[in-house]
Structure formats: C-alpha cells, structure tokens
Amino acid sequence: MLELDEILAIFNEGKTLTMDEEAAETCNYFSQEAQKITCRLNYEYHDPDEIREMFSELIGKRVSDDFRVFPPFTTDFGKNIHLGKNVFINSGCRFQDQGGIYIGDNVLIGHNVVLATLNHEENPSKRGNLIPSPIKIGNDVWIGSNATVLSGVTIGDGAIVAAGAVVTRDVDKNTIVAGVPARYIRDIRMD
C-alpha cells in the first residue's frame, strides 16, 4: 500500500494513477477512513466546535474557527481539501478531492454541490485509471445549490456559479456563469 504522502504526490502532480492492486488498496483504505469520519459527522448531532474538530481530522489539518459545514457532507478521500478562512459549506455537498480542492476565503457553497477532481481514461481497458486535476475556488466566491464543478476548473475571485450549473471550464473573476454547460452571463455589479 502507498503512504499518504506518496499518493498525494501522484495526485498533486496530475499523474495518471494506474489502478493496479496497490493503488486500489491505497484508495480503498483512505476512502474507508473518510467514510468512518463522515458517518460520525453525518449521523449524530454535533455542535459547531465538534464539527470543526471532525472536519480537521478528515482533511488532516486544522480548519479555521469560522469554518462552517451543515451535514450531511461526503468525500471519498478527504486528505486533499484545502480551506481558507470563513468558508461555509451547506448540506448535501459531495467532494471528490483526490486531485485537490482549494477553497479561498469567504466562500459560500450551496446545498448539494459536487466538486469532482477525477477523470478516467476513454479506453475501456484502462477506464479504471484515475486522472486527477485540481479545482481552485478563489476568494469571495458563491456556488449555488446543485452546481457541479469538474476537474481542472479554476473559479476566479468574486465569481458566482448559478444554481444547477455544470462548470466545465474556468470562470473569470467577478462574473456570473449559469447553465449546462455553464456559460458567461454577465459581470458582477459592484455598486
């Protein structure tokens, strides 16, 4: 089995992870660890301090005292989530974070948002292989309910992703995107 730093190095370098026996064992181990923590988080009441403590355990580093998440929350890895200050994640969100999820300061994430950092090879005989690419969310971003952000996307500071959007490419700062796939709607009003 690979150590955490070894698997993170593969994911963070954007290398394709060939899903051999060792890789599968490693991914399953960290997935099970994330499931244990999120089950505790999701199926009992916890005060905000307890939630922050469990989330810190999940991601392997301390979250800020102003971090808030409303359970349920799920992730299939957990160890490649990076949070700024004053982040709010509403209930029902799902993070596939192997490729890295980087969230800036003062970010609002609506109900049932999916952040998916993995892709697969097209060739059916290699389709189980994982192709990681990070999602980077700038400061002061608002992602509406039921939006999906796909691997490799960067969302610029101050942007708004409308509810239900599927974001397949980068979003410029201080703009609004909407639709499937998401497209530019207009600039943010700054008055």
Side-chain angles (χ1 to χ4, degrees), residues 87-146:
V87 171
F88 173 68
I89 301 170
N90 218 324
S91 63
C93 290
R94 298 179 181 275
F95 287 14
Q96 180 192 56
D97 66 293
Q98 287 90 335
I101 295 174
Y102 299 85
I103 300 174
D105 297 337
N106 307 310
V107 172
L108 303 173
I109 299 178
H111 291 91
N112 303 314
V113 167
V114 173
L115 303 179
T117 66
L118 292 178
N119 216 329
H120 297 276
E121 294 193 36
E122 288 183 18
N123 181 334
S125 68
K126 298 179 179 180
R127 197 161 291 155
N129 295 342
L130 304 179
I131 305 170
S133 189
I135 292 172
K136 297 178 181 177
I137 300 169
N139 297 326
D140 304 304
V141 170
W142 173 20
I143 301 176
S145 296
N146 295 302

Side-chain angles (χ1 to χ4, degrees), residues 157-172:
D157 293 347
I160 296 173
V161 174
V166 177
V167 185
T168 60
R169 60 184 177 195
D170 291 353
V171 176
D172 289 337

